[in-house]
Amino acid sequence: MSEATENQSERNVAIRLEKLSKTFPVQDEPAVKELSMDIYEGEIVVLVGPSGCGKTTTMKMINRIIEPSSGRIYISGEDVTDANPDELRRSIGYVIQQIGLFPHMTIADNIATVPRMLGWDKERVSSRVDELLETVHLPTSYRDRYPKELSGGQRQRIGVARAMAADPPIMLMDEPFGAVDPITRERLQDEFLGLQQEVLQKTIVFVTHDIDEAVKLGDRIAILGDQSEIAQYDTPETILTDPTNDYVEDFIGSGASLKRLSLSKVEDIKTAEWPVAHLTDSHDDVREKMKQSGREYVLLLDERDKPKRWVNWADVEQNGIPLKEAGWPSVAIVEKRSSLYDTLDTMITSYRGSAVVVDENEGKYQGVVDFATVLSAIEEMRPQEGHTAPDFIAEREDLPS
């Protein structure tokens, strides 16, 4: 039994689908055919597959926006296939790609929609609105604004806040970040993961067509084929390292090793040994640290231990130039919670092929990640595949030594 299976066996099934099918009146073939799967409490399960495979239909059957043609739906062990659909939907948060905020209602009123349906008093509703605005990192002053006054990313956050308003144990998310630009999308993904890990801990069914998003967000991924047939349902690690068939392998596409880097965080690996000094140190002190380390570069920190500049031997040989003006700025910065995939991207575009790691709160120096560090992490991920570095790493000749 795998570690993931052992962990699942200790947890309760939040959602169980038994031979769930849906045939629309205008179709001869079912959109979803006898789908069965278990979703455990507190995990993010991502349904991913090509357009038309039935993933959104499957998700909408869970809260019965779409009524199944046959099969059963169980929520926390209770058969809800024939339960009151309105009551069911009020107990499940729902976020869609286009967000669906009511344009004529304030942000506070949008968030308060479900709590008011449930009969919450005004004070409790108001308190919950402020709490959720803080949770999604928006000021409480936004409560009286209207959706048209917010950016796309801000409206998306309000959509998530509205889905969480009544504190539902289950949330359904249908390509929630698909309608925003790539930079905002990545930021929203990161914020969502942080919220889930630190605050929400909800059971979430997430629909996307993007395998990279699925790998980044999912605790488990269901890769679906035609009629929502499950091609593989497992952890991102297992799917990337051991695809069950050619269909899954083709859907993952090339670069599986790089995709796996998005599963590892900087805080999970040992950073490279690197000499550091302070801007207030003398040139002689910096030269001595460089000499003792055997490295060709030293990282200079300010009085708050924030990384500022890189200097080499030639830079510190010029005693007349202050250290705060020597060398070049340290601009390739990543946080401890950054993925190795994002870190590698930062390194490739950096001046010397390395990234400086800082903490999330104060930006203080934590270490350095270089290509040797990333290569070591890749080798640990796939010991059975040998020790061959990706070509773009092996061919780099300008790495810091």
Side-chain angles (χ1 to χ4, degrees):
M1 181 182 292
S2 69
E3 182 179 349
T5 304
E6 290 176 354
N7 290 340
Q8 291 162 8
S9 66
E10 298 171 358
R11 295 155 63 188
N12 295 324
V13 175
I15 303 170
R16 171 165 290 163
L17 309 180
E18 285 189 358
K19 295 186 176 181
L20 204 62
S21 297
K22 178 62 182 181
T23 302
F24 292 99
V26 296
Q27 293 180 329
D28 295 327
E29 294 292 328
V32 177
K33 183 177 180 180
E34 295 192 346
L35 173 65
S36 297
M37 66 188 306
D38 286 347
I39 298 171
Y40 290 85
E41 288 183 353
E43 72 178 7
I44 301 174
V45 167
V46 181
L47 308 182
V48 61
S51 297
C53 71
K55 53 187 182 292
T56 294
T57 299
T58 296
M59 190 191 69
K60 288 183 176 181
M61 283 194 286
I62 293 175
N63 68 351
R64 292 177 49 210
I65 288 178
I66 293 177
E67 291 288 353
S69 301
S70 61
R72 313 304 296 177
I73 306 164
Y74 297 88
I75 304 293
S76 299
E78 179 184 355
D79 188 345
V80 298
T81 316
D82 301 314
N84 183 302
D86 291 331
E87 292 182 3
L88 177 64
R89 289 174 203 134
R90 291 169 190 168
S91 67
I92 297 177
Y94 187 46
V95 186
I96 61 176
Q97 178 174 336
Q98 300 300 330
I99 310 164
L101 298 180
F102 301 116
H104 61 286
M105 294 169 56
T106 65
I107 297 307
D109 288 336
N110 266 281
I111 296 174
T113 301
V114 173
R116 285 174 177 163
M117 288 180 179
L118 295 175
W120 290 19
D121 61 57
K122 290 183 178 180
E123 184 177 346
R124 184 182 179 190
V125 169
S126 180
S127 176
R128 182 62 172 160
V129 168
D130 289 344
E131 177 186 354
L132 286 169
L133 285 171
E134 182 178 347
T135 298
V136 298
H137 308 299
L138 289 173
T140 56
S141 59
Y142 278 40
R143 60 175 9 258
D144 296 322
R145 295 190 181 187
Y146 288 85
K148 66 180 181 180
E149 300 177 89
L150 274 58
S151 68
Q154 290 170 337
R155 289 195 298 272
Q156 197 69 61
R157 295 184 201 182
I158 297 302
V160 173
R162 185 175 62 180
M164 296 189 300
D167 198 21
I170 294 171
M171 292 178 62
L172 308 178
M173 307 185 76
D174 188 4
E175 300 202 53
F177 309 133
V180 295
D181 63 87
I183 295 176
T184 302
R185 183 181 192 185
E186 183 174 349
R187 185 170 66 247
L188 289 171
Q189 289 171 344
D190 292 337
E191 290 178 356
F192 169 67
L193 275 178
L195 283 174
Q196 170 68 356
Q197 293 165 0
E198 298 170 10
V199 181
L200 303 180
Q201 299 178 351
K202 306 286 187 184
T203 303
I204 297 171
V205 181
F206 192 107
V207 166
T208 183
H209 65 277
D210 183 348
I211 186 62
D212 292 327
E213 183 169 63
V215 168
K216 180 175 183 177
L217 299 181
D219 294 308
R220 285 196 294 165
I221 299 172
I223 297 183
L224 305 180
D226 289 342
Q227 301 176 327
S228 282
E229 179 183 1
I230 296 178
Q232 188 166 1
Y233 184 30
D234 217 317
T235 63
E237 294 90 341
T238 301
I239 287 175
L240 291 176
T241 57
D242 189 21
T244 56
N245 53 40
D246 291 342
Y247 174 81
V248 175
E249 192 168 354
D250 289 343
F251 192 84
I252 293 170
S254 61
S257 294
L258 290 179
K259 288 182 174 69
R260 282 155 59 189
L261 290 179
S262 66
L263 304 175
S264 297
K265 305 296 182 184
V266 172
E267 62 189 359
D268 298 329
I269 66 172
K270 183 179 180 181
T271 55
E273 297 290 335
W274 211 275
V276 296
H278 285 84
L279 294 172
T280 54
D281 290 345
S282 69
H283 287 62
D284 289 339
D285 289 339
V286 176
R287 281 194 292 267
E288 183 62 24
K289 289 187 177 183
M290 193 179 305
K291 181 178 179 180
Q292 291 180 0
S293 70
R295 297 279 193 177
E296 296 179 1
Y297 303 91
V298 171
L299 178 63
L300 300 180
L301 313 178
D302 65 13
E303 67 280 2
R304 294 174 294 177
D305 287 338
K306 293 184 178 183
K308 290 299 178 182
R309 305 190 73 80
W310 287 101
V311 293
N312 60 21
W313 191 268
D315 297 321
V316 294
E317 279 291 289
Q318 304 178 52
N319 291 329
I321 299 179
L323 289 179
K324 65 181 180 180
E325 299 175 8
W328 62 94
S330 174
V331 294
I333 306 292
V334 297
E335 296 181 344
K336 293 175 63 177
R337 293 195 302 185
S338 299
S339 72
L340 289 188
Y341 183 93
D342 292 335
T343 301
L344 181 59
D345 181 67
T346 300
M347 291 162 54
I348 291 173
T349 58
S350 69
Y351 180 68
R352 294 304 304 177
S354 60
V356 180
V357 185
V358 299
D359 65 28
E360 292 82 3
N361 298 322
E362 300 179 2
K364 290 186 176 182
Y365 171 78
Q366 301 291 311
V368 171
V369 176
D370 57 16
F371 282 104
T373 309
V374 176
L375 176 56
S376 177
I378 292 174
E379 290 175 342
E380 290 181 7
M381 291 177 192
R382 51 174 191 177
Q384 75 280 6
E385 299 175 17
H387 302 281
T388 303
D391 291 342
F392 70 89
I393 293 181
E395 293 174 0
R396 285 294 300 262
E397 297 178 353
D398 62 338
L399 305 186
S401 59

